[in-house]
Amino acid sequence: MRHAKRINHLGRTSAHREAMLSNMAASLIMHKRINTTLAKAKELKKFVEPLITRSKNDTTHSRRIVFAYLHNKFAVTELFREVSQKVADRPGGYTRILKTGFRKGDNAEMCMIELVDFNETYTVEEKKKTTKTRRSSKKTAPKAEVEAPVAEETAAPEAETPAAE
């Protein structure tokens, strides 16, 4: 039975698991979506969402705590500059897991985990409604027809004479 076993160890030692989750979180922050197995994605979600919540408060202390988990200064910079700006008004649920099928070799269930606010397919942008204005049919005076000048027939291009050397 699995009573009171909240952590999926993923068949790894604790150091290996922490390093793997740190690398996957940094990749998720940098690339905004990654493909992985479902079990890893569920553990990654528990790992990265508190870090994103922490990034909403941009202080030196918050940056140091996040860096202690990620070990990647470029990912920390991206998290505090780009990601935290987009998720500022979201109260949680920063990631989405989409199942993609099964891996061919070992039949592991695969999925894509992505940051919710960075997917243009699902985010709804409100388009401003433009009212179509139609002209009322006003009776106008008939326009005077102006004849266009007839284009002169173009003659065949003359053969160019070679320049004197």
Side-chain angles (χ1 to χ4, degrees):
M1 288 188 236
R2 284 196 75 248
H3 295 301
K5 296 186 180 184
R6 291 184 177 87
I7 298 174
N8 186 350
H9 296 289
L10 301 171
R12 290 162 172 80
T13 62
S14 62
H16 186 188
R17 188 172 52 254
E18 288 298 317
M20 182 191 66
L21 289 173
S22 173
N23 288 333
M24 288 176 68
S27 295
L28 178 64
I29 291 166
M30 296 300 287
H31 300 292
K32 310 303 187 257
R33 87 172 42 127
I34 58 173
N35 293 314
T36 185
T37 62
L38 185 62
K40 287 180 188 175
K42 286 179 178 179
E43 286 301 308
L44 179 61
K45 186 171 188 159
K46 287 191 263 184
F47 184 85
V48 79
E49 290 209 357
L51 299 180
I52 296 173
T53 302
R54 173 81 59 181
S55 73
K56 289 181 176 183
N57 184 11
D58 190 5
T59 61
T60 305
H61 182 62
S62 296
R63 283 181 179 262
R64 286 180 177 166
I65 289 174
V66 170
F67 183 75
Y69 283 96
L70 292 181
H71 306 294
N72 185 338
K73 65 180 180 181
F74 301 111
V76 172
T77 303
E78 180 78 13
L79 177 64
F80 279 87
R81 282 193 187 155
E82 304 290 327
V83 178
S84 66
Q85 300 299 320
K86 281 225 176 181
V87 300
D89 57 341
R90 183 177 288 275
Y94 310 112
T95 57
R96 174 187 297 126
I97 295 176
L98 301 169
K99 295 181 182 179
T100 58
F102 296 93
R103 189 161 49 199
K104 197 166 192 171
D106 59 355
N107 207 28
E109 192 168 5
M110 298 298 289
C111 68
M112 177 173 58
I113 183 168
E114 65 183 3
L115 296 175
V116 172
D117 292 318
F118 288 90
N119 188 341
E120 292 81 25
T121 306
Y122 290 109
T123 54
V124 178
E125 291 184 18
E126 296 180 15
K127 293 183 180 178
K128 294 181 180 178
K129 287 189 175 181
T130 56
T131 57
K132 293 183 179 179
T133 56
R134 296 183 181 176
R135 291 187 172 188
S136 60
S137 58
K138 294 180 182 177
K139 292 184 178 179
T140 57
K143 295 181 182 179
E145 294 183 18
V146 178
E147 291 186 24
V150 178
E152 295 180 19
E153 293 182 19
T154 56
E158 296 178 13
E160 295 181 13
T161 56
E165 295 179 13

